[in-house]
Amino acid sequence: MSSNRVLKYGMRRMLKVIGYNYSNSMSKHAKPAHIVIDARIRRSSTGRYTDRLLEHLQAVDQYNRYTILIEPDDSWEPKADNFHAVACPFAQFSLNPFDQFLFAWQLYRLKPDLVHFTMTQQPLLYFGRIVTTTHDLTMFDFVRRGSTPLLVYRLKMMLYRFLVNSAHHKSRYIIVPTRTVAKELAAYQPFTTHKTAVTYEACEPSLAQRAEPLPDISGDFLLYVGTAFPHKNLARLVEAFDLLHQNFPKLQLVFVGKTEKHYEELETLAQKHPSGSAIVFTGFISDAHVKWLHEHCQAYVYPSLREGYGLTPIEAMADGAPVVSSNASCMPEILGDAAYYFNAKSPKDIAEKIAEVLRDPNLREQLIQKGKQQAGKYSWGQMAKETLVVYKAALSE
């Protein structure tokens, strides 16, 4: 049976169990369920999914009772009366026995009917009813060993795989952001095929705010927004920009992302390239500044080799940026025919595809219009409704 058929079968089974509707009541006679959501990741760079889920669940479910676990210094407060926040002081991604035991104990004391872990990491000692969101499998292929001794590195990866396996075995359902990830997960763990649900993410609503110009950025520029992790493939983008810069000497390449180890390494690398003086690193900037960059760039370039969803090119599309993207991973699934694709492993092809967009005003305008339509296909509200369907399915078994 193909992975597509397996995934569809799993979704049909879920919807048959609970009925495909988004009404607030579980049934005429059911009691409200107590659902705990681990939202400690909310404020991180990968926490937007969790933050948007909390926001929209409050609008679509006024029936069930929710406890939201947040970091002790997180100021998040619910808007709905059936939601309340509880501090969870235990470290994320921790194997410390103290954290593992006490986190599990906190969950047992809350007496939930269902726990939703919005990241794969969860306490080994908790065996209640679970739903897990797995955003991608990037860690399996793109973790750099660095200076870690080989034996220690291998032990860490073995432990990581064990934790992922444990989480997925315990979960009633596994939520993933694309069918691409669902297929990858089915190939890696065939036992997940009948309990995987796809809930697409969406464009961040805050980008509707007024744009603010970013000082020191003027003229024509290419744009990338996001992290600089190895799978983002930014070193090849720098190589491609060397080729582009020969024919477009006034063009700049702007990288936007929080300054950390990977960006520092990339900046050091860029300075050694012929085009290095035309490459700008902004560090962290506001959403209003990002919106302005989206609106004024000649192209938004996304060279990633592996993604779970790829949120930033969708956000760029929503703001009117023409997107030139890698054809790898889930990008064709998410971006459809609204992006201009290149081979992410070929700096020459990256440069050629960007150059075509720069030279062809009609192509650029076509990408802008298609991009806005593509971004409009996704909705955080719809994602929350579909997540509630998953909750109902898990609670019905």
Side-chain angles (χ1 to χ4, degrees), residues 300-302 313-314 317 321-327 331-342 353 357 363-364 366-372 374:
Y300 182 92
V301 186
Y302 201 65
I314 285 291
M317 285 179 170
V323 172
V324 188
S325 172
S326 157
N327 62 8
M331 303 325 301
E333 177 185 354
I334 296 300
L335 304 180
D337 66 352
Y340 205 56
Y341 294 102
F342 53 72
K353 294 302 191 298
V357 174
L363 173 59
R364 188 172 181 275
Q366 186 180 57
L367 291 172
I368 289 172
Q369 296 307 318
K370 286 186 175 182
K372 290 179 179 179
Q374 188 72 11

Side-chain angles (χ1 to χ4, degrees), residues 263-385:
Y263 257 124
E264 290 172 351
E265 292 175 353
L266 182 66
E267 187 167 3
T268 299
L269 173 69
Q271 291 171 354
K272 299 177 182 178
H273 279 254
S275 63
S277 61
I279 300 177
V280 179
F281 293 84
T282 70
F284 177 82
I285 59 176
S286 70
D287 284 346
H289 285 140
V290 171
K291 181 177 176 65
W292 185 87
L293 292 172
H294 284 162
E295 293 175 349
H296 291 82
C297 68
Q298 294 303 298
Y300 182 92
V301 186
Y302 201 65
S304 183
L305 296 169
R306 171 75 71 84
E307 292 295 326
Y309 180 81
L311 189 57
T312 60
I314 285 291
E315 292 176 339
M317 285 179 170
D319 286 334
V323 172
V324 188
S325 172
S326 157
N327 62 8
S329 190
C330 67
M331 303 325 301
E333 177 185 354
I334 296 300
L335 304 180
D337 66 352
Y340 205 56
Y341 294 102
F342 53 72
N343 177 354
K345 295 183 178 181
S346 169
K348 183 174 182 290
D349 195 49
I350 297 172
E352 288 176 351
K353 294 302 191 298
I354 295 172
E356 289 176 27
V357 174
L358 295 176
R359 290 184 175 123
D360 189 341
N362 291 330
L363 173 59
R364 188 172 181 275
E365 182 60 29
Q366 186 180 57
L367 291 172
I368 289 172
Q369 296 307 318
K370 286 186 175 182
K372 290 179 179 179
Q373 295 174 6
Q374 188 72 11
K377 294 179 181 179
Y378 302 107
S379 162
W380 286 119
Q382 182 71 11
M383 180 273 291
K385 291 176 181 179

Side-chain angles (χ1 to χ4, degrees), residues 50-97:
T50 302
D51 186 69
R52 296 293 89 200
L53 175 63
L54 297 181
E55 179 74 17
H56 290 276
L57 265 180
Q58 292 179 84
V60 301
D61 189 6
Q62 291 85 41
Y63 183 74
N64 295 301
R65 180 166 64 94
Y66 288 85
T67 297
I68 311 303
L69 301 180
I70 60 175
E71 293 178 303
D73 60 343
D74 189 347
S75 60
W76 183 85
E77 294 183 358
K79 299 175 182 177
D81 292 339
N82 59 323
F83 282 66
H84 73 282
V86 170
C88 183
F90 311 113
Q92 298 175 40
F93 309 107
S94 173
L95 294 175
N96 184 313

Side-chain angles (χ1 to χ4, degrees), residues 3-294:
S3 57
N4 274 336
R5 288 186 60 193
V6 168
L7 181 63
K8 290 178 181 178
Y9 175 81
M11 289 299 293
R12 285 202 303 270
R13 181 171 71 91
M14 178 194 307
L15 300 180
K16 184 177 180 181
V17 169
I18 61 163
Y20 190 70
N21 66 77
Y22 301 128
S23 62
N24 288 329
S25 61
M26 297 292 287
S27 73
K28 290 183 179 180
H29 305 291
K31 294 181 180 180
H34 179 203
I35 300 171
V36 171
I37 299 178
D38 180 6
R40 293 173 298 159
I41 200 76
R42 189 188 73 85
R43 296 179 296 172
S44 73
S45 60
T46 56
R48 189 173 300 173
Y49 159 83
T50 302
D51 186 69
R52 296 293 89 200
L53 175 63
L54 297 181
E55 179 74 17
H56 290 276
L57 265 180
Q58 292 179 84
V60 301
D61 189 6
Q62 291 85 41
Y63 183 74
N64 295 301
R65 180 166 64 94
Y66 288 85
T67 297
I68 311 303
L69 301 180
I70 60 175
E71 293 178 303
D73 60 343
D74 189 347
S75 60
W76 183 85
E77 294 183 358
K79 299 175 182 177
D81 292 339
N82 59 323
F83 282 66
H84 73 282
V86 170
C88 183
F90 311 113
Q92 298 175 40
F93 309 107
S94 173
L95 294 175
N96 184 313
F98 179 84
D99 287 335
Q100 283 279 322
F101 176 79
L102 291 182
F103 185 18
W105 179 242
Q106 181 182 34
L107 291 173
Y108 283 119
R109 290 183 64 187
L110 288 170
K111 298 181 180 179
D113 297 301
L114 176 68
V115 178
H116 179 188
F117 293 101
T118 59
M119 294 289 283
T120 304
Q121 186 269 343
Q122 54 196 255
L124 288 168
L125 297 176
Y126 184 73
F127 298 98
R129 188 181 278 111
I130 290 170
V131 166
T132 298
T133 295
T134 295
H135 296 275
D136 56 60
L137 302 180
T138 303
M139 283 285 289
F140 292 148
D141 297 316
F142 289 97
V143 177
R144 291 193 301 185
R145 178 183 145 201
S147 60
T148 304
L150 180 59
L151 180 58
V152 175
Y153 170 78
R154 287 179 175 174
L155 287 173
K156 283 185 175 180
M157 290 307 299
M158 287 176 60
L159 186 55
Y160 176 75
R161 290 175 184 272
F162 170 74
L163 293 174
V164 172
N165 285 339
S166 173
H168 288 169
H169 272 291
K170 291 190 296 181
S171 297
R172 300 297 177 96
Y173 285 97
I174 302 162
I175 297 173
V176 295
T178 56
R179 297 183 69 85
T180 300
V181 176
K183 292 176 184 177
E184 292 172 351
L185 186 57
Y188 173 63
Q189 296 175 330
F191 69 86
T192 65
T193 54
H194 294 298
K195 58 178 181 178
T196 302
V198 176
T199 65
Y200 287 112
E201 297 177 13
C203 177
E204 177 60 58
S206 67
L207 294 182
Q209 65 184 289
R210 185 175 180 177
E212 295 182 12
L214 188 67
D216 303 325
I217 300 294
S218 61
D220 293 343
F221 63 91
L222 305 175
L223 177 66
Y224 168 84
V225 178
T227 64
F229 294 134
H231 67 279
K232 298 298 185 178
N233 199 35
L234 301 185
R236 284 197 180 101
L237 178 54
V238 171
E239 291 182 45
F241 188 64
D242 278 342
L243 301 175
L244 274 170
H245 208 247
Q246 295 173 16
N247 296 315
F248 300 89
K250 294 183 179 181
L251 188 67
Q252 290 184 305
L253 173 59
V254 178
F255 286 110
V256 176
K258 182 180 178 181
T259 302
E260 42 73 52
K261 181 184 71 172
H262 296 294
Y263 257 124
E264 290 172 351
E265 292 175 353
L266 182 66
E267 187 167 3
T268 299
L269 173 69
Q271 291 171 354
K272 299 177 182 178
H273 279 254
S275 63
S277 61
I279 300 177
V280 179
F281 293 84
T282 70
F284 177 82
I285 59 176
S286 70
D287 284 346
H289 285 140
V290 171
K291 181 177 176 65
W292 185 87
L293 292 172
H294 284 162

